[in-house]
Amino acid sequence: MNIYQEKNNIIIENCEEFDLVHTFECGQCFRWNKLSESEYAGVHNGTVLRIGQADGKITLYDTTKEQFESIWKKYFDLERNYKQIQTALSCDSVLARAIPEGRGIRILAQNPFETIISFIISANNNIPRIKLIIERLCESFGEKIELDGKAYYSFPNADTLASLSREDLAGIKAGFRDKYIIDAAKKIASGEVLIDKIFELDYETAKNELKKIKGVGEKVANCILLFGFGKLSAFPVDVWIRRILEHYYFGGEEIKCDIEQFAKERFGELGGFAQQYLFYYARENKIAK
DNA sequence: CACCAGGCAAGCC
DNA sequence: GGCTTGCATGGT
């Protein structure tokens, strides 16, 4: 991967292991939107970025070397060797088929609070509507940021959301999840759940800490740990993952064993990466139930 | 009209 | 502990 500055932009060359579509469409994030065939725009920690991929090059527009180093390098997980991970996981025959289709997926290091709220909203919901609800949440309670004459919004912070009532949130149409959003914001704003400390905790302890929040169960906690706290062994099990495991590993039979344990034995520390390749593969191939 | 969507909490036993 | 049910909203 060759990275350099050209005018106001940062260019990444030789980026076979970084594919924008696969990274933004594999279900880990909800705030990157297509601007055109080859471009996306998104907001991370209050900064808007327009990014494009064409002719084997990725361009981060209007980005300084300093911004790239301090924000985006970590966010896009650019210091990790994904080729090595793919090679290791390809020993598994199912992943050997799934990885080529999702090649270039990178696990984003997303903002922890945003990840917590986003995956609370994801419960018993579908991806287009999850994105809509989150967008309305940001428009209503985030800060406006302008770029290229367009309005973007930062993700609201815990203090802001902690001060809201269910009535205040009615407009975003989160349904029964509104009370969980407020509970999460209150526990985080008050320090009952310490976000910064979760980074230092081991996987199991961190998961239990997150489960103190209403609306955070096994699956949501695993997503938060994987996408918001860099716990890369986490293996979130949702309907899609269950479906693809049943189809490819259990001969179409209903799974009765502990799936997390199954994943741990099979994928170990690389569980999160395996989960992302499988999720993308399952959705792209629309595995029937 | 049912049934489903990146599940979860609460209420049972 | 495990199992069942209701849940807001919008799409098919």
Side-chain angles (χ1 to χ4, degrees):
Chain A
M1 213 175 274
N2 184 22
I3 299 164
Y4 58 91
Q5 189 157 6
E6 188 178 88
K7 296 179 189 169
N8 297 328
N9 307 327
I10 296 290
I11 312 286
I12 307 176
E13 281 183 338
N14 303 322
C15 46
E16 294 82 13
E17 308 311 326
F18 186 8
D19 184 287
L20 293 187
V21 174
H22 292 172
T23 296
F24 294 145
E25 311 285 351
C26 69
Q28 61 178 321
C29 55
F30 303 103
R31 297 206 69 208
W32 287 94
N33 296 313
K34 249 191 158 96
L35 290 175
S36 68
E37 204 46 53
S38 61
E39 286 183 4
Y40 282 84
V43 186
H44 167 62
N45 283 349
T47 304
V48 190
L49 175 67
R50 180 163 68 93
I51 186 168
Q53 183 164 32
D55 306 321
K57 285 196 297 189
I58 285 176
T59 305
L60 289 78
Y61 294 98
D62 298 312
T63 303
T64 65
K65 191 79 181 165
E66 289 70 32
Q67 285 175 314
F68 177 78
E69 290 294 330
S70 63
I71 304 173
W72 303 113
K73 196 156 123 181
K74 178 163 182 262
Y75 179 75
F76 289 113
D77 200 21
L78 293 177
E79 292 188 293
R80 193 182 309 280
N81 186 340
Y82 276 72
K83 193 163 274 180
Q84 200 172 53
I85 291 167
Q86 290 172 17
T87 303
L89 288 175
S90 290
C91 296
D92 181 282
S93 63
V94 178
L95 279 169
R97 276 183 282 170
I99 288 170
E101 294 206 31
R103 188 176 176 193
I105 287 177
R106 306 193 79 85
I107 294 187
L108 303 172
Q110 300 183 62
N111 174 278
F113 181 67
E114 175 172 341
T115 310
I116 290 168
I117 301 298
S118 297
F119 280 92
I120 284 173
I121 292 170
S122 81
N124 198 23
N125 211 340
N126 58 63
I127 291 176
R129 206 168 81 89
I130 295 164
K131 293 179 79 167
L132 271 176
I133 293 169
I134 293 172
E135 216 44 53
R136 287 193 290 253
L137 181 70
C138 295
E139 278 175 32
S140 304
F141 306 106
E143 283 180 35
K144 190 172 180 178
I145 314 160
E146 301 228 22
L147 181 74
D148 303 327
K150 271 181 268 188
Y152 297 85
Y153 296 86
S154 67
F155 197 91
N157 61 38
D159 289 333
T160 302
L161 295 187
S163 71
L164 302 178
S165 65
R166 294 188 69 177
E167 285 157 15
D168 296 326
L169 277 177
I172 72 169
K173 298 183 188 297
F176 64 89
R177 306 165 192 87
D178 56 6
K179 53 186 178 290
Y180 302 147
I181 295 171
I182 294 166
D183 181 70
K186 280 186 173 163
K187 281 178 177 153
I188 290 160
S190 71
E192 188 178 337
V193 172
L194 293 168
I195 281 188
D196 293 339
K197 218 176 148 191
I198 292 178
F199 278 101
E200 303 161 16
L201 301 176
D202 64 85
Y203 169 73
E204 282 298 336
T205 316
K207 187 156 73 177
N208 288 331
E209 189 67 14
L210 285 170
K211 281 185 174 178
K212 286 185 187 170
I213 298 167
K214 298 249 187 231
V216 178
E218 188 65 26
K219 189 269 169 182
V220 169
N222 273 318
C223 283
I224 296 167
L225 289 171
L226 178 56
F227 305 130
F229 289 96
K231 307 287 187 196
L232 302 172
S233 66
F235 191 88
V237 178
D238 59 38
V239 289
W240 290 97
I241 290 295
R242 182 176 291 277
R243 221 169 268 173
I244 197 167
L245 291 183
E246 272 175 7
H247 189 267
Y248 285 108
Y249 293 89
F250 291 84
E253 299 289 317
E254 190 190 336
I255 303 173
K256 277 167 276 182
C257 70
D258 181 346
I259 298 185
E260 264 194 75
Q261 189 59 33
F262 172 83
K264 193 176 179 183
E265 287 164 13
R266 203 149 186 121
F267 312 122
E269 291 302 302
L270 298 177
F273 300 98
Q275 196 270 3
Q276 284 298 278
Y277 292 122
L278 290 172
F279 184 81
Y280 189 77
Y281 189 53
R283 285 180 60 86
E284 287 304 297
N285 291 283
K286 297 187 168 43
I287 301 293
K289 61 173 180 175

